[in-house]
Amino acid sequence: MVLLRGLILALLVVVTHAKAGDEAVPSGRGSSADTAALFAIPDVWPWGFQDDNGHLQGSLIELTDRLSELSGVAIRAQLLPLRRVILDVTRGRAEFAFLFQSPDLDENTIPVDTVLQLNLMLMAMRDTDFPLTLEGLASKRVGYVRGTYLGEAFKADEAVLKVPVYNIRQAIDMVLLGRISAVLASDHNIATTIDAYDFPEEEFRLQEHVKGQKARLYMSPSSGNPEHARLFKEALQHMRENGELERIFQTSSAQ
């Protein structure tokens, strides 16, 4: 009986240990380079979205697909609200994310590489006469994608009436209807939206707000794999040199 109890106890120890080993382990420091990398992608058109068939599309999806091909690292992309993307890469629920550079992200995550630089633009109807500056828009309603970092000046400005929207298509519709006075977004976002939805480009005027706003690949400090980061950085450099980044983002400043 004593021997039987001993065997049962030993078996329980082995089973318990095996079960613990089977639990999900974040693919972070210490994980192998061939483990799939989890990317949190902002669910914001045209960066990332689902088409009518449920397939992931968008410029960041195209970028992650190409990064996977070039690096040899499998990538699992997950569409999330923008604020959730920031939280997940900061807190380790995701390994990597592409986001506009900000002091908070630089401090709380690990910048891997600058993917490109975009210009942030203010846009209004052509028949308006107010200056397209934050000062000129004081007390006016300005649409922007909820949760997007658009520079320290806009973040700190308390005179502009900031109107968060789901995407820039919604903001342009609101400008056309007179519900807001202006839109603040990247040149890539504005140009792609106008082209895709046949908005009357000639009816708008634009003014550069921030030149060279950086978009970066960030790695979670608690779950990111440094070997993945190295391979992704090499892949991004290759894409930068052969013009692929410029093509994907329709910009001449992918550097």
Side-chain angles (χ1 to χ4, degrees):
M1 181 63 70
V2 174
L3 178 60
L4 179 60
R5 289 178 178 175
L7 289 173
I8 292 173
L9 179 61
L11 181 61
L12 287 173
V13 170
V14 170
V15 170
T16 301
H17 178 74
K19 183 176 181 181
D22 287 341
E23 293 177 353
V25 177
S27 52
R29 286 179 168 79
S31 61
S32 62
D34 58 358
T35 304
L38 176 59
F39 273 65
I41 303 293
D43 186 8
V44 177
W45 197 96
W47 307 99
F49 60 97
Q50 274 191 328
D51 63 19
D52 293 339
N53 297 316
H55 299 139
L56 299 188
Q57 303 289 348
S59 48
L60 290 182
I61 298 300
E62 184 177 354
L63 176 56
T64 55
D65 287 346
R66 188 67 177 127
L67 278 185
S68 182
E69 292 175 5
L70 290 172
S71 66
V73 177
I75 291 177
R76 183 161 61 92
Q78 184 178 19
L79 284 184
L80 297 169
L82 180 55
R83 289 180 177 176
R84 172 73 183 277
V85 170
I86 296 171
L87 285 175
D88 278 16
V89 75
T90 301
R91 298 178 181 179
R93 292 191 293 260
E95 296 176 75
F96 295 93
F98 295 106
L99 293 162
F100 281 156
Q101 182 272 336
S102 75
D104 288 343
L105 284 169
D106 286 348
E107 180 179 352
N108 295 306
T109 68
I110 300 173
V112 175
D113 197 8
T114 296
V115 180
L116 71 158
Q117 297 182 44
L118 296 169
N119 299 322
L120 301 182
M121 310 295 293
L122 283 162
M123 185 179 77
M125 298 300 295
R126 188 170 296 279
D127 59 3
T128 55
D129 59 3
F130 49 80
L132 270 180
T133 63
L134 293 184
E135 293 78 10
L137 288 164
S139 77
K140 298 185 184 299
R141 294 164 61 84
V142 177
Y144 72 104
V145 173
R146 186 188 309 272
T148 305
Y149 176 80
L150 296 167
E152 286 299 304
F154 185 70
K155 179 181 178 180
D157 193 288
E158 297 181 352
V160 168
L161 303 179
K162 302 171 186 177
V163 180
V165 298
Y166 177 66
N167 56 38
I168 293 305
R169 179 187 180 184
Q170 179 187 5
I172 295 177
D173 280 333
M174 294 172 72
V175 167
L176 288 168
L177 293 171
R179 295 179 180 172
I180 60 176
S181 298
V183 177
L184 177 58
S186 71
D187 48 8
H188 169 64
N189 202 333
I190 290 174
T192 304
T193 303
I194 288 176
D195 182 63
Y197 294 101
D198 294 323
F199 284 114
E201 183 177 4
E202 67 280 0
E203 294 189 19
F204 304 112
R205 62 189 179 100
L206 290 95
Q207 177 64 47
E208 186 179 278
H209 172 62
V210 174
K211 183 177 178 61
Q213 171 65 47
K214 294 179 180 179
R216 285 181 167 171
L217 172 60
Y218 286 101
M219 181 174 72
S220 169
S222 58
S223 66
N225 187 325
E227 179 62 11
H228 287 169
R230 183 186 68 80
L231 293 170
F232 293 149
K233 186 170 184 175
E234 290 179 357
L236 286 169
Q237 180 60 31
H238 175 78
M239 296 177 71
R240 186 177 298 112
E241 291 173 353
N242 68 13
E244 285 187 81
L245 291 178
E246 292 183 10
R247 177 187 59 77
I248 291 173
F249 295 99
Q250 302 175 24
T251 177
S252 60
S253 57
Q255 56 188 357

